[in-house]
């Protein structure tokens, strides 16, 4: 009887561990191969619609290349990234076009450098965070 209890307990524990791991990895998979559009940025003195009156920044994560690509409202950019659990490290944005885009572009790029965590919320939005504080929120616009 005691052997059966130990066996059942061990199997149940393994199922829980595998389930948690699958859920964690599955949520990260939603991050990749999608285009995310910025809908909120923290720490600015200018209203969001004033920062990005014509076009909002977008971001896309490529798991294969380990690169983020997108635009910061009018200029394209790319950067390396690494993910470990819900921690993210974003490298210095690489070559970009050089059009002047107003105050939104530097706000976006400066915030990207500070980001160190991410989450996908219940509504399917991507939150880029400093610690546990959401600093940028994106909605998925394309898979």
């Amino acid at each position: 009887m005691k052997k059966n209890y130990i066996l059942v307990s061990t199997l149940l524990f393994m199922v829980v561990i595998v389930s948690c791991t699958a859920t964690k990895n599955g949520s990260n998979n939603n991050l990749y191969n999608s285009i995310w559009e910025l809908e909120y940025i923290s720490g600015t003195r200018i209203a969001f619609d004033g920062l990005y009156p014509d076009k909002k920044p977008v971001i896309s994560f490529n798991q294969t290349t380990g690169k983020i690509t997108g635009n910061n409202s009018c200029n394209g950019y790319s950067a390396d990234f690494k993910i470990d659990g819900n921690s993210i490290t974003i490298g210095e944005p690489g070559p970009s076009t050089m059009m002047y885009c107003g105050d939104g572009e530097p706000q976006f790029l400066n915030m990207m450098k500070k980001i160190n965590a991410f989450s996908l919320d219940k509504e399917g939005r991507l939150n880029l965070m400093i610690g546990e504080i959401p600093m940028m929120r994106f909605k998925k616009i394309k898979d």
Side-chain angles (χ1 to χ4, degrees):
M1 180 76 165
K2 192 172 185 177
K3 277 185 171 180
N4 287 340
Y5 176 74
I6 292 172
L7 180 63
V8 169
S9 296
T10 303
L11 288 174
L12 182 59
F13 178 74
M14 290 175 69
V15 166
V16 169
I17 294 297
V18 169
S19 296
C20 290
T21 302
T23 300
K24 184 177 177 183
N25 291 339
S27 68
N28 285 355
N29 286 337
N30 290 332
L31 180 67
Y32 303 113
N33 302 318
S34 299
I35 297 175
W36 300 89
E37 182 181 70
L38 185 69
E39 63 179 16
Y40 167 81
I41 186 167
S42 179
T44 62
R45 293 184 177 165
I46 301 171
F48 183 79
D49 289 333
L51 284 174
Y52 309 108
D54 299 321
K55 187 176 177 184
K56 295 178 179 71
V58 296
I59 190 170
S60 180
F61 296 82
N62 187 313
Q63 186 174 20
T64 306
T65 64
K67 292 242 183 232
I68 293 172
T69 57
N71 74 59
N72 47 31
S73 77
C74 72
N75 287 308
Y77 69 92
S78 68
D80 294 327
F81 75 96
K82 290 184 182 178
I83 290 180
D84 183 15
N86 70 335
S87 296
I88 187 168
T89 304
I90 299 174
E92 187 72 28
S96 169
T97 53
M98 302 296 286
M99 292 189 316
Y100 176 72
C101 305
D103 295 328
E105 178 179 28
Q107 295 285 337
F108 181 80
L109 293 175
N110 288 333
M111 188 62 73
M112 289 291 284
K113 293 177 193 176
K114 298 175 185 177
I115 297 301
N116 61 17
F118 77 97
S119 70
L120 295 166
D121 65 21
K122 293 176 186 173
E123 290 82 29
R125 290 191 210 106
L126 168 64
N127 293 290
L128 296 181
M129 305 178 296
I130 298 175
E132 294 186 12
I133 301 170
M135 302 305 286
M136 303 171 89
R137 184 179 59 234
F138 295 81
K139 65 182 177 182
K140 189 183 288 190
I141 60 170
K142 185 176 178 185
D143 280 327

